[in-house]
């Protein structure tokens, strides 16, 4: 019997329906156990309830609270650095320093001002720039060592010795993210920044233990002024070709200088609710694309969005406050009690410098310097998160110049947060450290003590909590007959110890120290020279 095409199709559909109804139940694929969410889930948040994969109302609320807590926690851990730069700007503003002005610590920095791990051995020079109105020129003096940072504490360019002027002084043109106009063909070291707010700083060195000659050079050569489009660096041929206008050639306006010595200012990032308010200020002022979207995501998730008011409700504010407290506690722990053994410079030592392992971007170890040249390490492909948090919790300024093995250039650092027995330092006790002879530096060396709480110079009647090879602002350390130098840390000067070999501590405060070697030499990098551990005396 023949059926029409339409009848055959109807018979096929009917058979398919019958088979599906007959065999469908037994043909259904079982859900793998690895994909199942149980009805009751035990977690650090407590028991969570699900019915066939659907959370109860209470469970959903608990999980959303935790998610918002996580975003707020990450906003601190990932972006403390941006708030640190904003705190730096506000600190300078508090003593009257405006954009394009310069503050010089003419008689060095003392312990009255709060700066993350600053020193009392070099002449600090610093300022802020606003690139929203166009590029800015920064002229640097010779024999300078510095860097430019953007609003998220990212390195823009080195200045001075490690920079393109190589210590001869030069003109730096700092260009903002929104500038699309013409740039000069020559005469400037051009650097492009991803933010409009810029912080720059540097150090000059004493001459014969006297800051005055260096201060004179700083004030003579340092200039900050807006870039004149079509001026120096622009050939007339570009004007004739219609590529740019011709700008005037005229002396720049005089730069305003402030003396920072003796002034009190707070440049530290806060760890109370004002942290989020300061973070919002950065987000509102900078371009929406100034930070990686992955880093900006948690910030936006807690209500800090460019162009929108920051007004969290009471629930969100409580969650953010709790997250802030935990994030600050975690950051402080990473800084004071580091857990990674590879960060310590010598075996079984308390002397630490993790930049050799992580590089200045906390990603790839710094390259080896061999007789054949530079030997870079392959990129790791990941960020060392603990190192990044540690660094920005306690240090101002990041640059490749802080993480290099070149002899005779820049400076190198060793931190110590604990004594030879791995105990943190007690300001009521006395300790000592010995530097073997032939300290590997071509410029000078120094110890500085810092207050555990503020990560700034320890404030004691000494004023300058330092000891080293320079005799200003306090006497130079004296070497023993065998060429070694011993430094004591304690609340009172030990009997028989020279003033230059003692740094005063506060019995009520814990402290940590930083050994600086300016223009380090090969024995430091090869580790054939090594300071003793810091030992408890009494």
């Amino acid at each position: 019997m023949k059926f029409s095409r339409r009848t055959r199709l109807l018979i096929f559909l009917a058979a398919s329906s019958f088979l599906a109804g007959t065999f469908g139940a037994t043909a259904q694929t079982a859900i793998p156990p690895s994909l199942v969410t149980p009805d009751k889930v035990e977690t650090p948040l407590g028991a969570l309830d699900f019915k066939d994969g659907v959370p109860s109302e209470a469970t959903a609320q608990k999980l959303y609270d935790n998610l918002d807590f996580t975003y707020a926690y990450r906003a601190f851990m990932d972006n403390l650095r941006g708030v640190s730069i904003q705190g730096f700007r506000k600190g300078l503003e508090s003593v009257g320093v405006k954009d394009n002005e310069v503050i010089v610590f003419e008689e060095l920095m003392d312990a009255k001002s709060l700066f993350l791990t600053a020193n009392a051995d070099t002449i600090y020079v610093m300022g802020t720039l606003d690139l929203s109105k166009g590029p800015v020129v920064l002229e640097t003096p010779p024999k300078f060592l510095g860097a430019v940072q953007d609003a998220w504490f990212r390195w823009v360019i080195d200045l001075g010795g490690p920079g393109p002027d190589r210590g001869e002084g030069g003109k730096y043109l700092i260009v903002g993210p929104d500038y699309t106009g013409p740039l000069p063909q020559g005469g400037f070291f051009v650097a492009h920044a991803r933010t409009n707010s810029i912080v720059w700083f540097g150090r000059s060195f004493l001459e014969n233990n006297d800051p005055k000659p260096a201060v004179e050079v700083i004030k003579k050569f340092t200039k900050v002024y807006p870039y004149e489009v079509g001026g120096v660096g622009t050939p007339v041929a570009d004007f004739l070709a219609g590529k740019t206008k011709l700008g005037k050639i005229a002396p720049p306006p005089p730069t305003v200088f402030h003396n920072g010595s003796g002034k009190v200012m707070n440049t530290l990032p806060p760890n109370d609710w004002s942290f989020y308010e300061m973070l919002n200020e950065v987000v509102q002022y900078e371009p929406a694309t100034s930070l990686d979207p992955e880093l900006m995501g948690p910030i936006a998730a807690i209500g800090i969005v460019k162009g929108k008011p920051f007004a969290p409700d009471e629930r969100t504010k409580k969650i953010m406050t709790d997250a802030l407290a935990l994030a600050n506690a975690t950051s402080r722990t990473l800084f004071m009690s580091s857990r990674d053994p590879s960060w310590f410079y010598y075996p079984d030592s308390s002397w630490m410098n993790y930049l050799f392992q992580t590089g200045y971007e906390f990603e790839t170890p710094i390259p080896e310097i061999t007789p054949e040249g530079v030997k870079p390490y392959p990129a790791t492909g990941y960020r060392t998160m603990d190192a990044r948090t540690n660094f920005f919790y306690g240090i101002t300024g990041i640059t490749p110049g802080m993480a290099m093995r070149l002899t005779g250039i820049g400076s190198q650092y060793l931190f110590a947060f604990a004594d030879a027995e791995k105990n943190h330092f007690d300001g009521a006790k006395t300790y000592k450290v010995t530097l073997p002879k032939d300290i590997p530096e071509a410029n000078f060396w120094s110890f500085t003590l810092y207050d555990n709480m503020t990560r700034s110079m320890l404030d004691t009647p000494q004023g300058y909590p330092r000891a080293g090879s320079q005799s200003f602002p306090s006497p130079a350390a004296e070497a023993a007959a065998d060429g070694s130098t011993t430094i004591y840390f304690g609340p009172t000067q030990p009997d028989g110890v020279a003033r230059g070999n003692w740094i005063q501590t506060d019995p009520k405060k814990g402290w940590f120290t930083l050994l600086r070697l300016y223009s380090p030499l090969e024995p430091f990098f090869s580790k054939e020279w090594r300071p003793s551990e810091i030992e408890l005396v009494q």
Side-chain angles (χ1 to χ4, degrees), residues 285-364:
Y285 190 75
E286 299 302 336
T289 56
S290 69
L291 191 64
D292 184 284
E294 289 291 331
L295 292 175
M296 193 66 85
I299 300 175
I302 58 175
I304 298 178
V305 179
K306 185 173 178 63
K308 296 183 179 180
F310 174 49
D313 57 25
E314 288 304 312
R315 166 195 166 273
T316 305
K317 190 169 185 177
K318 181 182 184 310
I319 290 172
M320 292 172 65
T321 301
D322 292 344
L324 182 76
L326 185 61
N328 176 68
T330 303
S331 300
R332 176 171 286 281
T333 299
L334 284 169
F335 186 71
M336 298 298 305
S337 301
S338 301
R339 64 179 177 176
D340 190 333
S342 71
W343 290 6
F344 295 90
Y345 197 59
Y346 309 101
D348 193 32
S349 174
S350 291
W351 291 111
M352 181 181 74
N353 186 336
Y354 46 77
L355 292 181
F356 286 93
Q357 299 297 320
T358 69
Y360 79 100
E361 291 187 308
F362 315 104
E363 189 266 335
T364 299

Side-chain angles (χ1 to χ4, degrees), residues 59-115:
T59 288
Q61 187 61 55
K62 188 179 294 187
L63 289 171
Y64 278 125
D65 287 350
N66 182 68
L67 184 60
D68 292 341
F69 180 96
T70 301
Y71 291 143
Y73 179 86
R74 284 191 57 194
F76 186 99
M77 300 294 284
D78 291 341
N79 300 296
L80 173 66
R81 53 200 180 130
V83 176
S84 186
I85 284 287
Q86 185 71 349
F88 191 101
R89 292 182 64 90
K90 286 180 173 291
L92 296 190
E93 290 173 0
S94 74
V95 293
V97 182
K98 301 175 183 177
D99 289 329
N100 293 10
E101 296 181 350
V102 180
I103 184 169
V104 185
F105 289 79
E106 298 182 20
E107 296 179 356
L108 307 188
M109 188 184 294
D110 62 24
K112 295 300 181 183
S113 286
L114 300 179
F115 280 82

Side-chain angles (χ1 to χ4, degrees), residues 107-111 120 457 460 462-466 473-474 499 503:
E107 296 179 356
L108 307 188
M109 188 184 294
D110 62 24
M457 283 191 282
T460 69
Q462 276 188 338
Y464 300 94
R466 51 82 60 187
S474 56
R499 168 61 184 85
I503 307 178

